[in-house]
């Protein structure tokens, strides 16, 4: 943790420390859904692609997926910093996307790119008194599909 946080600008380090359990790379496995968390250093589409490769390697067969971002907000008047947790209440897509082959992965990455992470974060903030300072983590909700023909996988 300390090694990673030392790479973060000093103004944000306390937020990272307080919320490290959410920000750090982790997987919570459930009966039908797994939840993956990944930190983001400098947001770019290469990071979600790397994360999807990790998820694909850990998932046997097709799955459905949705995503959300965690970010730091700054109050315009008080300059207070606040962490906005990624959650299943603030998912990027209305419905999870099916990932059954490489074309589906490309489609998902295209949709993530079109959604614009900063605009997504702006829409999630509690009021216009808060500005988005930094996107710092990403969450993926992965729904395993058990009764699916396993043909032409990736």
């Amino acid at each position: 943790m300390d090694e990673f946080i030392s790479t973060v600008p000093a103004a944000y380090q306390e937020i990272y420390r307080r919320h490290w359990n959410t920000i750090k790379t982790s997987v919570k496995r459930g009966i039908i859904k797994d939840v993956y968390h990944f930190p983001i250093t400098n947001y770019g589409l290469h990071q979600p692609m790397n994360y999807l490769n990790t998820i694909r390697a850990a998932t046997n067969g097709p799955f459905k997926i949705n995503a959300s971002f965690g970010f730091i907000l700054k109050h315009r008047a008080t300059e207070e910093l606040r962490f906005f947790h990624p959650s299943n209440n603030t998912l990027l897509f209305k419905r999870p996307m099916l990932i059954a082959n490489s074309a589906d992965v490309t489609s998902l990455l295209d949709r993530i790119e079109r959604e614009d992470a900063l605009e997504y974060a702006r829409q999630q903030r509690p009021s216009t008194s808060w500005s988005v300072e930094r996107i710092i983590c990403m969450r993926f909700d992965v729904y395993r599909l058990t009764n699916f023909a396993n043909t032409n996988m990736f």
Side-chain angles (χ1 to χ4, degrees), residues 3-146:
E3 185 177 326
F4 181 89
I5 291 176
S6 69
T7 66
V8 172
Y12 307 127
Q13 288 182 2
E14 181 56 32
I15 292 268
Y16 276 78
R17 277 191 186 85
R18 254 186 292 154
H19 300 284
W20 184 246
N21 281 338
T22 298
I23 298 166
K24 71 180 180 181
T25 299
S26 65
V27 181
K28 292 181 183 169
R29 301 217 182 269
I31 295 171
I32 36 179
K33 178 176 88 169
D34 298 333
V35 177
Y36 291 77
H37 285 266
F38 297 101
I40 292 177
T41 48
N42 291 312
Y43 183 75
L45 204 54
H46 68 282
Q47 286 182 311
M49 183 175 64
N50 292 340
Y51 301 153
L52 285 171
N53 288 336
T54 299
I55 292 167
R56 286 173 58 193
T59 307
N60 294 325
F63 55 91
K64 289 191 174 188
I65 190 167
N66 211 329
S68 59
F69 293 99
F71 43 91
I72 295 175
L73 297 171
K74 184 176 185 178
H75 194 274
R76 294 183 194 279
T78 66
E79 297 196 353
E80 172 192 357
L81 295 176
R82 181 187 290 180
F83 178 59
F84 188 94
H85 287 263
S87 77
N88 61 346
N89 292 326
T90 58
L91 294 168
L92 203 52
F93 311 120
K94 290 182 191 225
R95 291 189 201 147
M97 290 186 62
L98 174 65
I99 304 297
N101 55 48
S102 294
D104 293 337
V105 172
T106 301
S107 176
L108 174 63
L109 289 170
D110 288 346
R111 284 194 63 194
I112 289 172
E113 184 176 26
R114 275 195 315 267
E115 287 296 325
D116 183 0
L118 277 173
E119 182 56 29
Y120 161 88
R122 280 188 206 98
Q123 291 174 7
Q124 303 303 320
R125 63 191 172 163
S127 75
T128 57
S129 299
W130 294 90
S131 63
V132 178
E133 281 289 296
R134 182 180 182 106
I135 294 175
I136 62 173
C137 62
M138 193 165 191
R139 169 187 164 142
F140 290 96
D141 289 31
V142 177
Y143 305 88
R144 292 182 306 282
L145 304 175
T146 55

